[in-house]
Amino acid sequence: MGNNGSTRASRKPSGGRSRKKSADGVSRRALLIGGGGVVAAGTVAVLVRDEVKRVWWQVPGVEKPRKAGELDYGAATWVAASEANWRRADRPDDFRIDRVIIHVTQGSFDSAVRVFQDPAHRAATHYIVGQDGRVVQMIRELDVAYQAGNRSFNERAIGIEHEGFVDRPKDLTKAMYESSARLTASICARYDIPIDREHIIGHVEVPGTDHTDPGPHWDWDRYLKLVKRAATASPTPSVSSSASASASAKRE
């Protein structure tokens, strides 16, 4: 993937004459340019060097730094999904993240974890939220989860599963709503995603899908209010160095 740059060999001046230098070793050309120009060139060099150090992983073929089991959301617990259920990426530098997709597991929390660890399943989401409010992260936000049945949406979205069944409203507990809202608010803050129904959607709303979750009992008005409230509260710390570095790069 990387592009190898060629290095041009230095050449001697034509005519065989060496360039005359002043007593302090500064070339005649530098003196003609003037001291201000030299200072400006040095400043630009420093700025370029600092910029390269800050965003070096955005060079083609170079990946962001990673650590095994690293979390993007500080309140989650890490349990890795099978590598067959997601694709390695360098989001948001290669694919912009602009959606959160809400799912319901159609099963228990533990069964969802087991399914996402099964390479034959060929699907998973980044997070699972339990009815008791616990959160497990199974795929890094950097990477593309096979979650929505639509490649474009997969590449641009972070997916959150919720423990329960779409036809059982009692499964959608207060603890689940509030925990999920804090998670979604954190994601939206990291990637500057608007908190609205255009950018926080259900699996059923993904073009081409045959799924119906999160179902008719999911209370969108309640959920968006909780996400907006969480967004104005003290943020849950994000422990991903790569995500925070990318956000810092955008702010600067």
Side-chain angles (χ1 to χ4, degrees):
M1 292 175 63
N3 294 323
N4 295 322
S6 61
T7 303
R8 181 177 298 175
S10 60
R11 297 180 179 178
K12 293 182 179 179
S14 61
R17 293 184 299 171
S18 59
R19 291 179 178 174
K20 184 177 180 181
K21 294 189 176 182
S22 65
D24 62 358
V26 179
S27 70
R28 181 172 180 273
R29 176 175 172 78
L31 290 172
L32 289 174
I33 291 173
V38 173
V39 172
T43 302
V44 169
V46 170
L47 292 174
V48 169
R49 181 195 64 198
D50 290 346
E51 177 71 9
V52 169
K53 287 175 64 177
R54 182 164 58 85
V55 295
W56 62 269
W57 60 74
Q58 296 184 23
V59 176
V62 179
E63 294 184 333
K64 292 185 179 72
R66 295 171 180 247
K67 295 179 182 178
E70 187 174 26
L71 295 165
D72 294 295
Y73 180 61
T77 300
W78 176 261
V79 180
S82 168
E83 292 184 2
N85 297 330
W86 55 274
R87 173 164 57 83
R88 196 175 180 91
D90 272 327
R91 304 190 308 170
D93 291 318
D94 48 5
F95 303 106
R96 179 185 177 190
I97 298 174
D98 62 5
R99 294 286 189 283
V100 176
I101 300 180
I102 303 299
H103 305 254
V104 168
T105 62
Q106 291 297 96
S108 70
F109 186 96
D110 292 338
S111 67
V113 171
R114 287 195 300 271
V115 164
F116 291 172
Q117 292 177 316
D118 180 1
H121 187 60
R122 304 295 295 176
T125 57
H126 296 87
Y127 295 95
I128 305 173
V129 180
Q131 292 176 357
D132 57 1
R134 59 181 161 159
V135 179
V136 64
Q137 181 173 3
M138 301 194 71
I139 300 170
R140 287 295 308 276
E141 292 177 5
L142 290 167
D143 298 320
V144 175
Y146 301 151
Q147 58 163 315
N150 181 305
R151 179 171 180 171
S152 175
F153 275 72
N154 284 346
E155 290 173 343
R156 296 159 49 199
I158 292 173
I160 307 174
E161 286 279 4
H162 297 80
E163 177 186 14
F165 293 85
V166 296
D167 58 349
R168 295 199 323 210
K170 66 178 183 179
D171 289 350
L172 307 177
T173 65
K174 180 177 184 289
M176 176 189 287
Y177 270 119
E178 291 180 348
S179 178
S180 177
R182 289 191 294 271
L183 170 58
T184 294
S186 176
I187 294 168
C188 290
R190 273 194 289 287
Y191 304 106
D192 197 24
I193 302 172
I195 300 174
D196 58 35
R197 286 287 287 115
E198 180 181 351
H199 298 88
I200 303 173
I201 65 173
H203 192 179
V204 66
E205 296 170 277
V206 175
T209 187
D210 59 357
H211 287 244
T212 63
D213 57 312
H217 302 296
W218 184 267
D219 191 335
W220 283 108
D221 289 340
R222 175 186 182 186
Y223 187 66
L224 287 181
K225 288 178 182 178
L226 289 170
V227 174
K228 290 175 180 177
R229 183 186 304 167
T232 61
S234 298
T236 301
S238 170
V239 295
S240 166
S241 59
S242 55
S244 60
S246 179
S248 175
K250 289 181 178 180
R251 287 196 298 271
E252 295 177 8

